[in-house]
């Protein structure tokens, strides 16, 4: 803007209009991306700055930013064994369930791909879990796992496997398994669709050529299919990993973090700290710590993905 | 003969997969047809099927109101997301505005868990008087799903034949007209797929909705249904009926739009 004013005072009027035209064009070009930049500013930039402010100040939901407290919130959070174990659980949960779902989803996609026409129909069927609101997914599985009248307990008792109902959601380890099963139900179909798409990008002739060369099914899978889909698979894993770090709804509905704190994920723990205990400053510090942990935990996957992509070029 | 055996094998492998993915929804239907005593018997089939849970669920909670809120909020949010994203995605790809950094920042912003934005957005809505309003949720979802839409739309735009746009440019059409009158109709299936996906995401969202709404007039369906749990004596039959009523709209969309949906999801991920 300053440059423009100075220029306007200059002797060369035509140069000045040209300059103004350039500015206009620039402004017009910037308008195109303004919506996305605005969205990013509101949903990413502003929250980050705001969180940093909260994390270093005395803040409640009613009155934020009442005095600077330094790193106090970070120190308390990092000394809180309940929060630290919630982070540990979230990381372990995300890494393991995502890998399991990737393997399972890829196998199902291979199966569907070999079904040809039937595969398309099945594909529309597996779309349904993906479309089901997570809250309803949680409720459906809660009904299945319920100790009194739950389908699983009922079936096990009717077949004489157990005599007393098991409290699946009241046992620390079983409750995690229950969450993982519901998670698997909801997201594996998504992975199936993405893997199916990845498999369909393999050029048709490649397999025939290998067949002519005498490669058996396993060799074709190991030396052709897998290397060709390695890059998409790593990006699918990354995507599922990110989704898993967001785990919240299923915990809220199925266990509410319990029994005790056994199934409290990091996201759920921060939510309770902020929305139920109103301790916003501390919750902000915990959020920043968790975001950093997610960054560190996904970094190796990002690197792996970049390596696979480079290999393809 | 060998072909038949192969099909039998594939069928045997597929059946349990289908069974597993159908089970929870089927059980939800079964429970919604059970009487209160019947729920406790733990078998799959209702012994004395009844439809009583359905009207009872709609009476016990403002289920219709929740559905109306969810549908309005998610549709408007979906439209907002597309309106914000389409021009920018086009500009980055074709007009070379913004460049790679914008795509990178957009995508990486999606990596932060939503809990990161929860508290700041709470204060933003509070200051702007949009807390506990449907407009507030529309804005939040509309903006928050921009990265997803960006990610899904880009591959469709990339596959758009460049010659058509160049021909239109020679005929004197400006970039905005080209986008609106030439590009949009051609990649309409991709736009529809993206719209459905971001709308469903908004419809299903729970974290923001539970923190930003606290009256029946604004609550969305997932929040409304989750309140069924708070009652001391949870009526499973009613909860199942209410859940199914809430799932129905998205399943209908899935039924009619499945072709678009699969291609929309698939194109986004496979680069």
């Amino acid at each position: 803007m300053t440059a423009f004013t100075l220029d306007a005072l200059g002797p060369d009027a035509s140069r000045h209009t040209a300059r103004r035209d350039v500015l206009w064009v620039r402004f017009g070009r910037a308008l195109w991306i303004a919506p996305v930049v605005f969205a990013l500013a509101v949903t990413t930039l502003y929250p980050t700055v705001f969180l940093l402010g909260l994390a270093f100040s005395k803040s409640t939901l009613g009155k934020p930013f009442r005095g600077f407290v330094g790193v106090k919130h970070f120190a308390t959070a990092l000394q809180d064994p309940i929060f630290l174990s919630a982070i540990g659980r979230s990381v372990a949960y995300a890494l393991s369930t995502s890998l399991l779902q990737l393997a399972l989803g890829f196998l199902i996609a291979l199966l569907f791909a070999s079904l040809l026409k039937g595969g398309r129909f099945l594909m529309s069927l597996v779309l349904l879990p993906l479309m089901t609101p997570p809250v309803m997914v949680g409720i459906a599985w809660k009904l299945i796992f319920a100790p009194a009248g739950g389908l699983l307990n009922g079936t096990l008792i009717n077949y004489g496997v157990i005599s007393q109902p098991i409290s699946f959601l009241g046992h620390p380890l079983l409750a995690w398994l229950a969450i993982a099963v519901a998670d698997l139900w909801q997201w594996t179909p998504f992975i199936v669709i993405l893997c199916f798409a990845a498999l369909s990008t393999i050029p048709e002739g490649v397999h025939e050529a290998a067949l002519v060369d005498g490669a058996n099914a396993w060799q074709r899978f190991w030396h052709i299919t897998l290397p060709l889909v390695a890059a998409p698979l790593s990006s699918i894993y990354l995507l599922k990993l990110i989704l898993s770090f967001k785990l919240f709804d299923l915990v809220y509905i199925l266990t509410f973090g319990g029994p005790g704190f056994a199934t409290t994920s990091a996201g759920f723990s921060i939510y309770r700290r902020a929305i139920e205990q109103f301790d916003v400053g501390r919750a902000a510090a915990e959020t920043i710590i968790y975001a950093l942990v997610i960054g560190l935990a996904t970094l190796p996957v990002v690197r792996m993905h970049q390596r696979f992509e480079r290999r393809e070029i | 003969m060998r072909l038949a055996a192969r099909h039998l094998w594939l069928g045997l492998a597929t059946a349990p997969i289908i069974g597993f993915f159908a089970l929870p929804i089927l059980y939800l239907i079964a429970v919604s047809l059970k009487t209160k005593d019947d729920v406790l018997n733990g078998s799959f089939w209702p012994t004395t099927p009844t439809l009583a849970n359905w009207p009872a669920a709609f009476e016990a909670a403002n289920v219709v109101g929740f559905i109306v809120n969810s549908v309005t909020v998610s549709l408007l949010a979906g439209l907002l997301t597309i309106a914000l994203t389409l021009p920018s995605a086009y500009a980055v790809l074709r007009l070379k505005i913004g460049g790679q950094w914008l795509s990178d920042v957009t995508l990486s912003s999606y990596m932060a868990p939503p809990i990161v934005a929860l508290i700041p957005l709470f204060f933003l809505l509070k200051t702007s008087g949009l807390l506990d309003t449907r407009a507030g949720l529309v804005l939040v979802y509309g903006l928050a799903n921009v990265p997803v839409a960006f990610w899904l739309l880009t591959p469709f735009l990339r596959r758009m034949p460049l010659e058509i746009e160049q021909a239109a440019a020679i005929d004197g059409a400006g970039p905005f007209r080209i986008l609106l009158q030439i590009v949009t109709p051609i990649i309409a299936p991709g736009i529809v797929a993206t719209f459905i996906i971001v709308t469903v995401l908004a419809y299903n969202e729970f974290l923001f909705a539970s923190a930003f709404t606290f009256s029946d007039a604004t609550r969305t369906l997932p929040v409304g249904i989750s309140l069924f749990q708070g009652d001391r004596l949870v009526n499973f039959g009613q909860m199942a009926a209410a859940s199914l009523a809430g799932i129905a709209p998205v399943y209908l969309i899935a039924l009619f739009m499945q072709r678009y949906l699969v291609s929309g999801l698939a194109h986004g991920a496979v680069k």
Side-chain angles (χ1 to χ4, degrees):
Chain A
M1 224 37 213
T2 337
F4 168 73
T5 332
L6 286 175
D7 226 40
L9 295 171
D12 193 345
S14 68
R15 215 182 109 237
H16 151 224
T17 29
R19 186 74 184 235
R20 199 168 63 178
D21 282 352
V22 169
L23 276 173
W24 260 116
V25 170
R26 281 209 175 154
F27 177 70
R29 285 170 71 85
L31 265 186
W32 282 90
I33 54 166
V36 162
V37 172
F38 173 71
L40 290 176
V42 174
T43 58
T44 308
L45 182 65
Y46 153 77
T48 310
V49 175
F50 202 93
L51 269 185
L52 281 169
L54 287 176
F56 290 104
S57 68
K58 196 171 176 236
S59 293
T60 60
L61 258 194
K63 287 178 183 154
F65 310 120
R66 282 184 306 167
F68 182 75
V69 295
V71 293
K72 192 191 108 191
H73 292 310
F74 289 95
T76 358
L78 288 172
Q79 281 162 11
D80 178 4
I82 292 175
F83 174 66
L84 292 182
S85 55
I87 285 204
R89 272 193 296 266
S90 286
V91 173
Y93 177 88
L95 289 172
S96 59
T97 57
S98 302
L99 198 61
L100 176 75
Q101 290 181 28
L102 181 70
L104 205 64
F106 185 53
L107 284 178
I108 297 177
L110 281 172
L111 178 70
F112 282 11
S114 60
L115 284 173
L116 299 171
K117 272 202 174 150
R120 284 203 75 89
F121 166 72
L122 292 173
M123 204 57 75
S124 58
L125 207 73
V126 293
L127 209 60
L128 297 184
L130 187 59
M131 306 278 285
T132 314
V135 167
M136 280 61 149
V137 175
I139 284 173
W141 284 99
K142 197 172 188 172
L143 290 172
I144 292 174
F145 290 124
L151 182 64
L152 189 54
N153 270 310
T155 314
L156 290 176
I157 289 173
N158 286 345
Y159 282 98
V161 182
I162 51 170
S163 54
Q164 285 296 313
I166 302 169
S167 173
F168 291 105
L169 299 173
H171 180 282
L173 197 64
L174 292 178
W176 268 117
L177 279 176
I179 295 172
V181 168
D183 189 328
L184 183 132
W185 185 84
Q186 175 143 52
W187 290 110
T188 307
F190 185 43
I191 295 174
V192 172
I193 292 173
L194 302 182
C195 287
F196 194 80
L199 285 171
S200 68
T201 59
I202 299 177
E204 264 176 41
V206 183
H207 272 112
E208 276 82 3
L211 205 60
V212 170
D213 288 346
N216 64 32
W218 172 252
Q219 286 170 327
R220 272 175 292 160
F221 172 76
W222 189 251
H223 294 293
I224 298 173
T225 311
L226 212 53
L228 281 176
V229 293
L233 282 192
S234 63
S235 79
I236 296 169
Y237 182 62
L238 184 62
L239 181 67
K240 181 65 213 352
L241 206 55
I242 293 163
L243 288 168
S244 294
F245 277 118
K246 299 177 179 181
L247 177 72
F248 173 78
D249 313 31
L250 290 175
V251 170
Y252 187 98
I253 298 295
L254 279 170
T255 64
F256 209 72
F261 290 96
T263 61
T264 300
S265 67
F268 185 70
S269 148
I270 295 168
Y271 170 85
R272 292 200 69 179
R273 174 99 53 216
I275 301 297
E276 286 180 4
Q277 299 168 9
F278 309 119
D279 192 350
V280 173
R282 168 87 177 274
E286 291 182 348
T287 310
I288 291 168
I289 295 170
Y290 187 45
L292 289 176
V293 169
I294 293 178
L296 283 177
T298 48
L299 197 62
V301 185
V302 174
R303 283 280 154 75
M304 188 177 73
H305 176 58
Q306 286 169 339
R307 215 175 53 221
F308 281 139
E309 274 196 331
R310 253 193 315 249
R311 209 178 57 190
E312 277 196 346
I313 296 163
Chain B
M1 200 53 208
R2 277 194 59 192
L3 199 69
R6 188 180 139 84
H7 272 130
L8 187 69
W9 262 112
L10 291 174
L12 282 178
T14 317
I17 300 171
I18 303 299
F20 174 75
F21 285 113
L23 178 78
I25 301 302
L26 293 179
Y27 190 56
L28 219 49
I29 297 174
V31 171
S32 81
L33 301 175
K34 285 181 173 188
T35 61
K36 226 170 178 170
D37 299 331
D38 206 5
V39 165
L40 296 178
N41 105 37
S43 66
F44 186 89
W45 303 107
T47 43
T48 44
T50 167
L51 282 172
N53 287 319
W54 285 80
F58 282 81
E59 241 169 76
N62 185 18
V63 177
V64 176
F66 296 149
I67 293 179
V68 170
N69 286 341
S70 272
V71 170
T72 358
V73 165
S74 54
L75 282 179
L76 291 176
L79 287 174
L80 180 62
T81 305
I82 298 292
L84 289 174
T85 317
L86 186 60
S88 303
Y90 181 73
V92 170
L93 203 64
R94 283 287 197 256
L95 312 176
K96 307 289 171 212
I97 303 169
Q100 192 58 38
W101 67 269
L102 190 66
S103 332
D104 290 347
V105 173
T106 310
L107 282 187
S108 53
S109 78
Y110 189 59
M111 289 186 53
I115 195 88
V116 170
L118 183 75
I119 310 165
L121 288 180
F122 182 92
F123 283 108
L124 187 68
L125 291 177
K126 198 174 135 193
T127 337
S128 53
L130 289 170
L131 206 56
D132 198 28
T133 66
R134 283 173 288 191
L137 280 186
V138 170
L139 273 177
V140 167
Y141 293 152
L143 294 175
N145 285 332
V146 163
V148 187
F150 196 93
W151 180 65
L152 287 167
L153 279 175
T154 307
F156 287 105
L157 287 166
R158 193 173 282 132
R159 286 190 312 159
M160 165 96 200
L162 198 59
E163 295 77 18
I164 304 178
E165 289 165 68
Q166 284 166 340
I170 291 168
D171 288 347
F176 195 71
R177 238 184 101 184
I178 294 179
L179 171 64
L180 222 57
Q181 293 188 343
I182 313 246
V183 177
T184 303
I186 293 180
I187 64 155
I191 297 178
V192 171
T194 308
F195 171 73
I196 293 171
I197 292 164
V198 291
T199 305
V200 168
L201 280 177
Y203 188 89
N204 293 349
E205 204 278 339
F206 176 66
L207 176 68
F208 288 154
S210 77
F212 300 158
T213 61
F214 20 83
S215 62
D216 263 10
T218 52
R219 277 195 183 110
T220 60
L221 197 81
V223 182
I225 300 283
S226 76
L227 295 178
F228 265 86
Q229 292 221 118
D231 301 342
R232 245 165 51 79
L233 287 170
V234 185
N235 188 319
F236 286 128
Q238 288 181 19
M239 200 158 90
S243 302
L244 285 168
I247 301 173
V250 271
Y251 274 20
L252 283 178
I253 296 178
L255 190 67
F256 290 113
M257 303 285 180
Q258 33 142 319
R259 261 185 47 225
Y260 292 133
L261 277 175
V262 173
S263 69
L265 287 167
H267 285 132
V270 185
K271 56 156 292 151

